[in-house]
Amino acid sequence: MKESEIRNREVFKKYLELSAKDAEVYFADRSLFSNINCPACQSSEVTFFLKKNDFTYSECLKCSTFFVNPRPSLEQYDKFYSDSPSTSYWVNNFFKPVMEARREKIFKPRAEYISNFLINDKNLVIGDVGAGFGLFLEELGKIRSDFQLIAIEPSKEMAQICTDKGIEVIPTLIEDVTGYDEKFDVLLAFELFEHLHNPEGFLRKIHQLLKPGGILFFTTLNGLGFDIGVLGEKSNSIAPPHHINFFNPQSAGLLLEVNGFEVIEASTPGKLDWDIVETSITSDDFIPERIWKIISKYASPESKKKLQNWISESNMSSHMRIVGRKK
């Protein structure tokens, strides 16, 4: 898979530019920002990591998580995500044109993975937190008709899209869900943890909604991942105000364990790390270390494929998958 197959690079860059401009408006009042401890291990031992778009990231000296600190208020984020022009641009200009490609390349394989993981389970209640357009639940429903599938989606527009597709919807933030304690066998959260204002509070709510022994699947960015490490502040993944938490396989495991989960899997099955780096070398103003230019220019396609496989298998991809079981 290539990065170009799932996102138009120029449209994505435009989206990031709009987000940076919106940040100047919606996060202008810095008096509402506050210093926080590490969102993974709660350590106060942190150091400066980098600054981008006038947002500062700290790195935890204990678990290597890096995160926006000081952190804007939740109210600032609520207004940003509900009102900002860049949010509308993301939906209409970035996501919708590549929606079907993402269905084939991302959501269908994801549904197959979940189905295989749950192959011996029947009649489960499964919730997708931040279900968006409902693509994942559509694909999972094609494979497993015995599952009860529920979209947990706060956006009125996207909740209605899911409803129109015949998907059951809880139209609110998961933190505000009531009447569903210990109702879910499985909860899923894809590309959400990097955005969470309060990851620990989110996990406590997930724990409350899951049945005993229930499963949480989530994917997020790995702050120790290859393309993020090579590109540094030039990485499009480091995109404040959107991406504010960068856990890693070890620190994500710590976060789950202190919130009542047993870690079943902490892996990095990403496929795009080298492609993202090579595209930055050939298309952007990124000036890499000489070794990466050498690999880009002289290594064979097969060698580059082997490099990507090694990155993923060594838990060094920037795309991370975590599976936990409620104790």
Side-chain angles (χ1 to χ4, degrees):
M1 183 167 63
K2 297 288 187 181
E3 182 186 15
S4 59
E5 294 175 325
I6 61 169
R7 60 178 170 233
N8 182 304
R9 195 170 178 83
E10 292 306 311
V11 172
F12 187 47
K13 288 173 70 174
K14 176 67 174 178
Y15 163 65
L16 294 177
E17 291 169 3
L18 289 173
S19 295
K21 290 180 180 178
D22 285 344
E24 295 175 2
V25 176
Y26 290 89
F27 300 94
D29 188 352
R30 297 287 162 143
S31 70
L32 299 176
F33 287 34
S34 58
N35 289 307
I36 64 169
N37 291 338
C38 172
C41 69
Q42 295 301 312
S43 174
S44 60
E45 297 181 31
V46 301
T47 187
F48 173 81
F49 184 64
L50 61 80
K51 192 168 185 176
K52 189 170 183 179
N53 296 347
D54 209 26
F55 288 81
T56 300
Y57 287 85
S58 296
E59 182 178 23
C60 178
L61 295 175
K62 288 192 173 182
C63 72
S64 298
T65 296
F66 67 90
F67 54 99
V68 167
N69 185 39
R71 182 149 296 191
S73 69
L74 182 58
E75 290 73 22
Q76 287 174 300
Y77 271 107
D78 285 344
K79 290 179 181 179
F80 172 72
Y81 280 117
S82 61
D83 298 337
S84 68
S86 61
T87 298
S88 176
Y89 184 88
W90 184 88
V91 172
N92 295 301
N93 297 77
F94 173 73
F95 190 85
K96 285 184 177 179
V98 295
M99 185 165 59
E100 291 308 313
R102 284 179 165 248
R103 181 195 295 276
E104 291 298 318
K105 298 291 184 178
I106 297 175
F107 292 102
K108 185 178 288 186
R110 186 175 285 167
E112 291 169 351
Y113 166 80
I114 297 296
S115 177
N116 289 334
F117 191 96
L118 303 171
I119 195 165
N120 295 319
D121 299 293
K122 307 292 182 183
N123 303 313
L124 300 182
V125 180
I126 297 181
D128 186 4
V129 184
F133 290 85
L135 299 181
F136 167 77
L137 292 179
E138 279 188 293
E139 293 305 315
L140 184 59
K142 293 175 184 177
I143 303 171
R144 298 295 300 268
S145 60
D146 59 308
F147 289 169
Q148 179 183 355
L149 305 178
I150 301 174
I152 303 171
E153 177 51 60
S155 162
K156 291 181 180 180
E157 178 186 359
M158 294 187 186
Q160 187 61 51
I161 290 171
C162 289
T163 298
D164 292 343
K165 291 179 175 181
I167 299 170
E168 182 179 348
V169 179
I170 302 174
T172 187
L173 290 167
I174 191 169
E175 290 85 350
D176 298 327
V177 171
T178 58
Y180 286 84
D181 288 4
E182 297 192 349
K183 297 293 186 182
F184 291 92
D185 296 285
V186 178
L187 284 168
L188 311 115
F190 301 119
E191 283 78 61
L192 186 60
F193 269 70
E194 59 265 39
H195 299 269
L196 292 176
H197 192 267
N198 181 2
E200 190 166 25
F202 180 89
L203 275 179
R204 287 196 296 267
K205 186 66 177 185
I206 291 284
H207 193 275
Q208 178 182 329
L209 297 178
L210 282 172
K211 297 175 182 178
I215 301 294
L216 166 65
F217 293 86
F218 72 87
T219 59
T220 189
L221 293 164
N222 172 18
L224 299 181
F226 178 82
D227 65 83
I228 292 174
V230 173
L231 298 176
E233 66 179 57
K234 294 289 187 179
S235 169
N236 288 332
S237 292
I238 303 177
H242 294 280
H243 296 164
I244 59 177
N245 308 303
F246 287 80
F247 301 104
N248 55 66
Q250 294 73 35
S251 69
L254 287 173
L255 179 64
L256 260 67
E257 288 169 359
V258 299
N259 284 284
F261 291 88
E262 169 195 2
V263 178
I264 299 173
E265 178 186 338
S267 62
T268 68
K271 300 178 180 180
L272 293 177
D273 301 78
W274 173 252
D275 184 64
I276 289 170
V277 169
E278 186 164 39
T279 301
S280 294
I281 292 172
T282 57
S283 304
D284 297 338
D285 59 354
F286 173 64
I287 302 174
E289 296 291 332
R290 185 168 182 266
I291 182 61
W292 307 125
K293 289 193 285 187
I294 291 171
I295 293 173
S296 176
K297 186 172 182 178
Y298 294 108
S300 67
E302 183 60 30
S303 295
K304 293 174 183 178
K305 183 177 180 180
K306 289 180 180 179
L307 172 60
Q308 180 60 55
N309 289 340
W310 177 83
I311 290 168
S312 300
E313 293 165 3
S314 302
N315 260 12
M316 295 183 68
S317 171
S318 293
H319 173 66
M320 179 167 65
R321 180 172 64 211
I322 307 293
V323 185
R325 178 183 285 115
K326 177 178 175 178
K327 295 179 181 178

